[in-house]
Amino acid sequence: MFHAPNVFQRDPLPPATRESEPERQAPAGVAVAERPAQNAPANAPAKNEPAKNEPAKKRDAYFDNAKYLAIVLVAVAHSWVPVMEGSRAARALYMVTYTFHMPAFIIISGYFSRSFSPTPAKVKRLVTGVAVPYVVFETAYSLFRRYANDSPDAAISLLEPWYLTWFLAALFIWRITTPIWQNLRHPLAVSLVIAVLASLTPGIGDDLDLPRVLQFLPFFVLGLQLRPEHFRLVQRREVRLLALPLFAGAAVFAYWAAPRMQLGWFLRDSSAQDMNAPWWSGAVMTLALFGCATLLTIGFLAWVPRRPMWFTVLGAGTICGYLLHGFLVKGADYAGIFDRNEWLVSPTGLVLVTLVATAGVTLLCTPPVRRALRCVTEPDMNWAFRRDSARI
């Protein structure tokens, strides 16, 4: 996101004027040498150099709030999987949530990837902020599945993301291709065609979870096209009011569709043929879900608080919440907690599971956890890069 930080990291306030657009702004945290002004004293500070006692750059509470709330939805939806069978209402809520929670994350990720270019500093940031966490946590989850689930034959392969690590692999691919999308005349239309083709091509294979990478691609490209004024438009009062009947209608439709629709459509990790559906249904569902996800994401973003809240600071640690909550959900599943407590399928149990998942991911987003994991989620790794990678 600026200087290509990933979507989980806390981001600066979106620029209000054209001159401060990310494309014209130096990425945060990167020193840019500027030519000193003529006749300036030798010891004069460089232009735009912050004063010694200048306060830190403000963060945008809106996007921190959005990232925290989205990561809560991700964790809650994952926690519903073991207990929603047999509950039509839970399955319907799962379908509504899965329609937009990852698209919302991906759209925000695309929005903050607008300034990405293959410069040494930004490539370094892409490697340390996305590729390294992917390698570390893909390995960790594979080992966890092997030993916690007593599956000694479980493979450790960086080419086949397991569970939730697919998003890091996808983010790497999307961001490295950003210059392509920025130069196309109709990038969103092209990305939708690619997503449609991926939904009806069973021979793509599972390497790097490419079916999901390609089917979610339009949301990232959509984010690349957005500007600050679009988010200001979404936050208008009338949009918030329209979001209420929108979510109500989505819930009613999902309740009707729950026993009739396969969840694979929402996961976007399979082709239509893989789900034993007609090949043309892949195109129809891809376009329909893109429209539904976009509308629900707008409704979600309309209700995200704009002012600082008690959870705003947690928006800086959502990478920890995302990457760690899977150990809690899978650990509870491997330990047989859901199997031994069948009452968790009841409404009371579902509420309890939701509260526990919310509390768990909230704790995982706190500053102490972020500091403890910084060595793998935000490693410096200057030793691995040439000195000029510190420059734009």
Side-chain angles (χ1 to χ4, degrees):
M1 299 178 185
F2 306 121
H3 148 42
N6 61 56
V7 66
F8 303 101
Q9 294 173 329
R10 216 169 169 188
D11 37 88
L13 184 69
T17 62
R18 184 174 181 181
E19 285 74 15
S20 60
E21 283 285 326
E23 290 81 2
R24 300 184 181 216
Q25 183 181 21
V30 179
V32 182
E34 293 205 14
R35 191 174 298 171
Q38 289 183 347
N39 302 324
N43 58 352
K47 183 180 179 182
N48 294 333
E49 181 178 337
K52 186 175 294 186
N53 297 322
E54 183 180 339
K57 179 177 286 188
K58 289 184 179 180
R59 305 290 181 175
D60 189 342
Y62 175 75
F63 285 104
D64 280 335
N65 293 339
K67 287 183 285 186
Y68 167 74
L69 294 174
I71 202 65
V72 167
L73 291 176
V74 171
V76 167
H78 283 160
S79 70
W80 284 342
V81 173
V83 296
M84 71 180 183
E85 288 304 322
S87 172
R88 184 173 179 176
R91 188 179 175 93
L93 288 174
Y94 176 90
M95 291 167 61
V96 172
T97 303
Y98 251 81
T99 299
F100 76 93
H101 71 357
M102 285 310 298
F105 245 118
I106 296 167
I107 287 172
I108 295 174
S109 178
Y111 174 70
F112 285 110
S113 296
R114 293 175 300 156
S115 63
F116 180 83
S117 58
T119 59
K122 292 177 182 178
V123 170
K124 175 188 175 184
R125 185 65 173 176
L126 181 63
V127 171
T128 58
V130 179
V132 170
Y134 169 73
V135 171
V136 171
F137 279 91
E138 175 61 26
T139 303
Y141 270 107
S142 298
L143 292 174
F144 182 71
R145 178 176 55 166
R146 173 180 292 185
Y147 296 109
N149 196 35
D150 193 22
S151 302
D153 296 330
I156 301 176
S157 172
L158 298 181
L159 293 179
E160 297 181 8
W162 183 71
Y163 198 31
L164 48 74
T165 57
W166 72 268
F167 180 69
L168 292 178
L171 186 59
F172 186 92
I173 295 172
W174 294 331
R175 185 163 288 152
I176 206 71
T177 60
T178 292
I180 297 176
W181 304 113
Q182 296 282 38
N183 284 281
L184 289 179
R185 188 181 296 273
H186 303 292
L188 185 57
V190 173
S191 67
L192 282 170
V193 170
I194 292 174
V196 166
L197 293 176
S199 72
L200 48 86
T201 309
I204 292 179
D206 295 328
D207 288 350
L208 295 179
D209 215 345
L210 277 181
R212 185 144 42 182
V213 172
L214 298 178
Q215 290 185 53
F216 274 116
L217 173 63
F219 298 104
F220 182 82
V221 176
L222 175 60
L224 289 174
Q225 311 306 306
L226 297 179
R227 295 295 178 264
E229 55 268 25
H230 295 128
F231 289 94
R232 289 194 290 269
L233 182 63
V234 163
Q235 296 166 38
R236 296 176 62 175
R237 183 173 181 271
E238 51 266 38
V239 179
R240 291 200 299 273
L241 294 178
L242 289 173
L244 298 178
L246 172 66
F247 273 98
V252 171
F253 178 80
Y255 188 81
W256 173 84
R260 299 173 172 87
M261 187 176 293
Q262 297 189 59
L263 296 181
W265 294 117
F266 301 91
L267 299 176
R268 296 176 173 86
D269 60 353
S270 304
S271 66
Q273 295 94 320
D274 291 332
M275 292 183 284
N276 297 317
W279 67 267
W280 52 264
S281 63
V284 173
M285 291 300 296
T286 297
L287 297 176
L289 282 174
F290 177 79
C292 293
T294 301
L295 290 175
L296 290 177
T297 297
I298 291 173
F300 165 73
L301 293 174
W303 280 95
V304 171
R306 289 170 287 182
R307 65 184 185 279
M309 307 290 289
W310 64 266
F311 53 80
T312 301
V313 67
L314 302 177
T318 47
I319 185 172
C320 301
Y322 180 81
L323 292 174
L324 293 178
H325 84 271
F327 290 110
L328 301 182
V329 175
K330 286 297 183 181
D333 190 18
Y334 293 159
I337 292 176
F338 301 110
D339 293 333
R340 292 197 302 269
N341 298 277
E342 296 182 359
W343 62 273
L344 291 175
V345 182
S346 67
T348 302
L350 289 171
V351 171
L352 178 61
V353 169
T354 300
L355 293 175
V356 170
T358 301
V361 75
T362 298
L363 291 174
L364 295 175
C365 292
T366 54
V369 176
R370 183 189 179 200
R371 288 193 293 268
L373 284 186
R374 185 166 289 157
C375 59
V376 292
T377 59
E378 304 174 53
D380 189 85
M381 293 185 63
N382 283 332
W383 53 269
F385 294 88
R386 288 164 36 179
R387 186 172 300 177
D388 60 358
S389 64
R391 306 192 193 103
I392 302 259

